[in-house]
Amino acid sequence: MKSTAESVHQGNKLIQILMFTLVISVMNVSMFNIALPGIRAEFHLSAAQVSWVSSAYMLVYAVGSVTYGKLADKYALKKLITIGLIVFVLGSVFGLAAGAYWMIVIGRVFQAAGSSVIPAAAMIIPVRYFPPETRGRALGKSAIGLAVGNTLAPVVSGLIMGYAGWRWLFCFSVLVLLTLPFYRKYLDDAKESRGRMDVLGGGLLAAATGLILFALTGGGWIPAAAGVLLLILFVIRIRKAADPFVQPRLFRNLNYTFGIGIAFVISCIAFSIPFLIPQLLAGSNHLDASVIGLIMIPGAAASALLGFAGGKFADLKGNLFVVCIAALLQMIGFFLLSAFAGINAWIIAIVLIFSNVGQTFMQVALSNTVSRTLAKEETGVGMGLLSMLNFIGAAVATSVYSSILDTGSSAHWNPLNTYPGSYLYSSIFLVLAVMMVIVAGVYLLRFGRSAAPQQNTRAGVGS
């Protein structure tokens, strides 16, 4: 049996490897968004058709994160990461050789099927290898990997497409294979638990999630209705099965349910930045893509530099302290975005530092909060569900924000901004600022009476 010090040393090595893996994973998602116009032109596709390069990836990625999380409760994480990264690379090679559009989509699907082990590992490794009193720092380092990936993606994508073409974006993802020997070295061979895998329950959840995400990304009401029906069947299944895919008691844990609910809302709010800001800068400020990328970099870079500080604060001051700081930063950011939308793009670049750092702090604190509500045997699937809800939140946000922008409303009720052409964006950011206050209040009411920061109980979350 390993001592706590040995486990933390092993965990520190794994977190360093995980940070690099997360950078590649995050870049793999956002780099292809920049490539969509080129793919569309080459294969003579409509906007809806080419969107499947991103939509198919997101659907499989969301389902895969919870599936790997559940599998990690039964099988050694070392084996799962090995399989996942190999599938990821095979998908990349297939996409690199694509001579037809369907091959690109299949390559992206295989990439997502493999790379979705990465967000699952990013949730599980800090919980398994770090005690509660130092877990925040580990989660903060994971957040740094996400921020660095977001920072580098537009720069690297532009360089690759400028010199080699969009197909070579698939080649870049092969770099993730460099991490496999280190995972094999530092991940332990945890004894696999007994019991059968609830394939039917997992299939119902996967199909329900996929259909609902498809509906949210423009699939219509029929997939939505089918997804809701399958979700009902999933609930029935986990209540009847002897060894269900998700134990029903997990959702009777009110701290866990509140935690993932708050995380879902935060995900919806946070996605406003990567989705709305580029459209605001292109539509109201009339900037081209290269300049928009430069505007987005300072906020992402600040998140990368300060992510570890958020985790350290969570360990020393408690999650509640970090949530309050994060909510304040995001609230300030959204108020300033509301005031300066459409006026000066470089002011927006500075304001995004508040919003991005606040989101990174919030992500660390909420992940830490949710992890402390789970029993050891629920860690994989519990954190996997949290990861899945983050993706669903992004899909919901995309649908809602798109619908609002499509209305083209010019109603001007927001006193913070009177700049023509940005009324709608300004109003959205003002509403999001108010929502941040509400979400922080809900967190305070549910988790504000918890004990000292180092406490780790299932029923009472550490602060």
Side-chain angles (χ1 to χ4, degrees):
M1 186 108 179
K2 291 183 179 180
S3 66
T4 300
E6 290 174 324
S7 179
V8 170
H9 174 73
Q10 188 174 357
N12 283 326
K13 295 291 186 182
L14 287 169
I15 286 295
Q16 293 171 13
I17 303 163
L18 184 62
M19 287 173 64
F20 178 79
T21 316
L22 282 167
V23 169
I24 302 297
S25 176
V26 172
M27 292 177 68
N28 185 66
V29 177
S30 53
M31 284 194 308
F32 278 88
N33 292 335
I34 300 174
L36 294 183
I39 296 173
R40 179 182 179 182
E42 180 171 336
F43 293 98
H44 309 290
L45 304 170
S46 67
Q49 288 173 322
V50 78
S51 68
W52 276 103
V53 173
S54 296
S55 297
Y57 190 95
M58 183 173 65
L59 290 172
V60 178
Y61 202 73
V63 172
S65 62
V66 69
T67 302
Y68 279 113
K70 176 60 180 178
L71 290 172
D73 287 335
K74 289 185 173 293
Y75 303 101
L77 186 58
K78 177 188 290 188
K79 293 183 179 179
L80 297 178
I81 287 183
T82 300
I83 294 170
L85 294 186
I86 290 174
V87 172
F88 182 28
V89 170
L90 290 175
S92 301
V93 173
F94 190 85
L96 178 62
Y101 178 61
W102 67 267
M103 295 179 68
I104 300 173
V105 176
I106 294 298
R108 290 290 281 166
V109 166
F110 273 92
Q111 277 191 319
S115 64
S116 53
V117 73
I118 298 170
M123 294 289 187
I124 294 168
I125 287 174
V127 177
R128 288 190 178 176
Y129 288 88
F130 292 87
E133 60 270 19
T134 61
R135 190 175 298 159
R137 292 175 174 86
L139 291 167
K141 289 181 179 179
S142 295
I144 291 173
L146 296 174
V148 170
N150 285 323
T151 303
L152 294 178
V155 178
V156 174
S157 180
L159 289 173
I160 292 176
M161 292 180 63
Y163 289 97
W166 60 263
R167 281 181 176 81
W168 290 92
L169 296 178
F170 282 103
C171 187
F172 177 81
S173 302
V174 177
L175 289 175
V176 77
L177 203 59
L178 297 174
T179 65
L180 185 55
F182 298 99
Y183 281 118
R184 299 287 301 176
K185 178 179 179 180
Y186 291 109
L187 279 171
D188 55 35
D189 290 300
K191 186 178 180 180
E192 299 176 4
S193 62
R194 297 183 180 274
R196 299 173 59 187
M197 180 70 177
D198 182 16
V199 177
L200 177 58
L204 287 171
L205 179 60
T209 304
L211 286 169
I212 291 172
L213 280 172
F214 176 60
L216 290 170
T217 52
W221 68 269
I222 294 178
V228 171
L229 176 60
L230 290 178
L231 194 59
I232 293 172
L233 293 176
F234 168 73
V235 173
I236 295 173
R237 170 66 183 177
I238 64 174
R239 292 174 65 89
K240 299 290 186 181
D243 188 14
F245 188 82
V246 179
Q247 290 289 347
R249 68 173 181 268
L250 185 62
F251 300 108
R252 293 195 291 267
N253 177 357
L254 293 182
N255 278 338
Y256 176 77
T257 304
F258 267 88
I260 62 173
I262 293 171
F264 171 78
V265 175
I266 288 295
S267 178
C268 293
I269 295 173
F271 199 71
S272 64
I273 299 299
F275 183 77
L276 292 177
I277 294 298
Q279 299 190 62
L280 167 67
L281 294 174
S284 297
N285 297 93
H286 311 293
L287 302 179
D288 60 32
S290 60
V291 179
I292 292 173
L294 292 176
I295 296 295
M296 303 288 285
I297 285 177
S303 296
L305 292 173
L306 298 175
F308 181 72
K312 188 174 182 180
F313 285 144
D315 291 336
L316 298 177
K317 301 289 187 178
N319 294 319
L320 177 60
F321 175 81
V322 178
V323 166
C324 291
I325 295 296
L328 179 62
L329 289 173
Q330 288 186 283
M331 184 183 67
I332 292 172
F334 284 127
F335 269 121
L336 292 176
L337 286 173
S338 181
F340 291 102
I343 297 176
N344 188 303
W346 295 106
I347 292 179
I348 298 295
I350 297 172
V351 171
L352 287 178
I353 294 174
F354 291 92
S355 299
N356 285 21
V357 172
Q359 171 55 25
T360 299
F361 279 26
M362 186 68 76
Q363 178 186 352
V364 170
L366 288 178
S367 297
N368 205 6
T369 295
V370 171
S371 74
R372 295 186 181 203
T373 69
L374 295 167
K376 183 178 180 180
E377 66 274 10
E378 298 169 340
T379 298
V381 69
M383 298 303 284
L385 284 170
L386 172 63
S387 180
M388 184 185 76
L389 282 175
N390 286 334
F391 295 113
I392 295 178
V396 170
T398 301
S399 178
V400 172
Y401 297 141
S402 297
S403 298
I404 294 174
L405 294 181
D406 285 343
T407 65
S409 174
S410 59
H412 181 222
W413 53 266
N414 176 11
L416 292 179
N417 190 317
T418 58
Y419 190 79
S422 62
Y423 295 152
L424 194 55
Y425 293 99
S426 178
S427 298
I428 293 172
F429 291 133
L430 181 59
V431 170
L432 293 177
V434 174
M435 287 182 64
M436 282 306 311
V437 177
I438 296 172
V439 172
V442 172
Y443 185 95
L444 177 63
L445 290 173
R446 185 67 204 179
F447 301 107
R449 293 176 295 177
S450 52
Q454 295 184 3
Q455 182 171 339
N456 180 28
T457 62
R458 175 188 163 100
V461 179
S463 65

